[in-house]
Amino acid sequence: MTSQLASVASAFLSNRPREYTIGDLAREFGVTLRALRFYEARGLLTPRREGLARFYSSRDRTRLSMILKAKQLGFTLSEIKAIVSDPLRPEESETIRLSSDELEEQIAHLERQLAEIEAALTELRDMRRELVRAA
Amino acid sequence: MTSQLASVASAFLSNRPREYTIGDLAREFGVTLRALRFYEARGLLTPRREGLARFYSSRDRTRLSMILKAKQLGFTLSEIKAIVSDPLRPEESETIRLSSDELEEQIAHLERQLAEIEAALTELRDMRRELVRAA
DNA sequence: TTGCTCCTCACGTCACGTGAGGTGGC
DNA sequence: TTGCTCCTCACGTCACGTGAGGTGGC
């Protein structure tokens, strides 16, 4: 039996809430230990400390999940801090709640980036066509 | 008569090659002095020095134009250094010459970014639709 | 004793932004 | 003397990557 399994079983048997090591979360979400520590330094995660060791609750795990979803949506970590720390948002829910303003701004922001990349791609594809034609 | 005009006229009358101050190029290309100095530190530009002052030749100006075009195409400064410093590429031409490999790689790179942004936009627009529906 | 996992600094990366403090010529 | 333009440090920003050197429990 791995120590991972042992700790899950132990928590279950004693009715303790489940906790995760930094390695557990890193593996599950495909991020580095460094990233998790960095999110903590930025105030996005606040794991329990036992000496120097970190222990993450299932609420920490939920927050991490929201942080990574918000990152996929293109928000910066300081924007994400505001989003996941908002006291008006439901605590235990994994879904990200954005205000109408946040939505519109982010959509506009990404649309600008999209346009820049599309313009670059158009130019590069034109250059490729020229290369093929010259061959 | 501005000193700018005076220097243009003076160069013309004496048949000296035109030179530009850092402020000239910054204004013309809409970049900061800091950016131009940074490109120099990275080995992308090598203006003539007269004491501490910088003087840019028209070849420097052409290089700057290529640097900024390559930036629009999404290349990093170290990639751009390789592109504009390639001895096989025509010296005085403003057009950027990319190898087939460079083209394909950059197109693939931008297509990945495009897909990520499109996925994020799709999600955000879905959230907006939900917001409107709930109102 | 060896591995494995975890820890804390702390410098590096990317492309500059942003002062601070000073100089030179009109 | 005042403005304007230019200069050189040098730290700050963003989101971590990457060692170095050490610890704790199986």
Side-chain angles (χ1 to χ4, degrees):
Chain A
M1 186 152 74
T2 70
S3 70
Q4 160 102 350
L5 262 184
S7 104
V8 172
S10 158
F12 177 76
L13 291 173
S14 67
N15 210 24
R16 262 186 288 114
R18 174 82 203 275
E19 282 193 325
Y20 307 86
T21 67
I22 190 170
D24 291 340
L25 292 189
R27 263 185 304 279
E28 178 176 354
F29 289 97
V31 297
T32 64
L33 307 188
R34 179 70 177 96
L36 292 175
R37 294 185 193 120
F38 186 71
Y39 299 157
E40 182 178 348
R42 296 295 302 270
L44 291 172
L45 290 174
T46 49
R48 182 172 75 79
R49 290 299 195 115
E50 206 174 300
L52 290 180
R54 293 170 169 84
F55 292 97
Y56 297 82
S57 69
S58 47
R59 267 196 49 200
D60 290 325
R61 185 175 161 279
T62 301
R63 279 178 76 95
L64 176 56
S65 158
M66 291 178 63
I67 290 166
L68 297 178
K69 275 187 189 163
K71 265 179 69 71
Q72 283 178 25
L73 296 179
F75 290 101
T76 67
L77 290 187
S78 37
E79 289 166 342
I80 292 175
K81 184 173 182 181
I83 292 170
V84 304
S85 303
D86 187 338
L88 293 178
R89 303 178 208 255
E91 253 307 340
E92 299 300 329
S93 147
E94 287 219 21
T95 63
I96 297 170
R97 302 247 161 224
L98 298 176
S99 73
S100 182
D101 281 4
E102 284 167 337
L103 265 177
E104 297 306 333
E105 253 195 83
Q106 187 64 1
I107 287 173
H109 178 56
L110 291 186
E111 280 172 346
R112 280 192 295 277
Q113 287 188 212
L114 197 72
E116 282 173 26
I117 294 182
E118 278 173 344
L121 270 173
T122 298
E123 275 198 66
L124 288 168
R125 288 179 180 138
D126 284 353
M127 295 173 69
R128 176 165 62 182
R129 211 170 303 147
E130 285 302 308
L131 256 192
V132 171
R133 228 172 47 108
Chain B
M1 184 152 74
T2 69
S3 69
Q4 159 103 349
L5 263 184
S7 104
V8 171
S10 158
F12 177 75
L13 291 173
S14 67
N15 208 25
R16 261 188 288 114
R18 174 83 203 277
E19 281 193 326
Y20 308 85
T21 67
I22 191 169
D24 291 340
L25 292 189
R27 262 185 304 280
E28 177 177 354
F29 289 97
V31 298
T32 63
L33 307 188
R34 179 71 176 96
L36 292 175
R37 293 185 193 121
F38 185 73
Y39 298 157
E40 181 179 349
R42 295 295 301 269
L44 293 171
L45 290 175
T46 50
R48 182 171 76 78
R49 290 299 195 114
E50 207 174 299
L52 290 181
R54 294 171 169 83
F55 293 96
Y56 297 81
S57 69
S58 48
R59 266 195 51 200
D60 290 325
R61 185 176 162 281
T62 301
R63 280 178 75 94
L64 176 55
S65 158
M66 291 178 61
I67 290 166
L68 297 178
K69 276 186 189 165
K71 265 180 68 70
Q72 284 178 23
L73 295 179
F75 290 101
T76 66
L77 290 188
S78 37
E79 288 167 341
I80 293 174
K81 184 174 183 182
I83 292 171
V84 304
S85 304
D86 188 336
L88 294 178
R89 305 178 206 254
E91 251 309 336
E92 298 301 328
S93 147
E94 287 220 22
T95 63
I96 296 170
R97 301 247 163 226
L98 297 175
S99 73
S100 181
D101 281 5
E102 284 168 337
L103 265 177
E104 297 306 332
E105 252 193 85
Q106 187 65 1
I107 288 173
H109 178 55
L110 292 186
E111 281 173 344
R112 279 192 296 277
Q113 287 187 213
L114 198 71
E116 281 173 26
I117 294 181
E118 279 172 343
L121 270 173
T122 298
E123 275 198 66
L124 289 169
R125 289 179 180 136
D126 284 353
M127 294 173 69
R128 176 166 60 183
R129 211 169 305 146
E130 283 303 308
L131 256 192
V132 172
R133 227 174 48 107

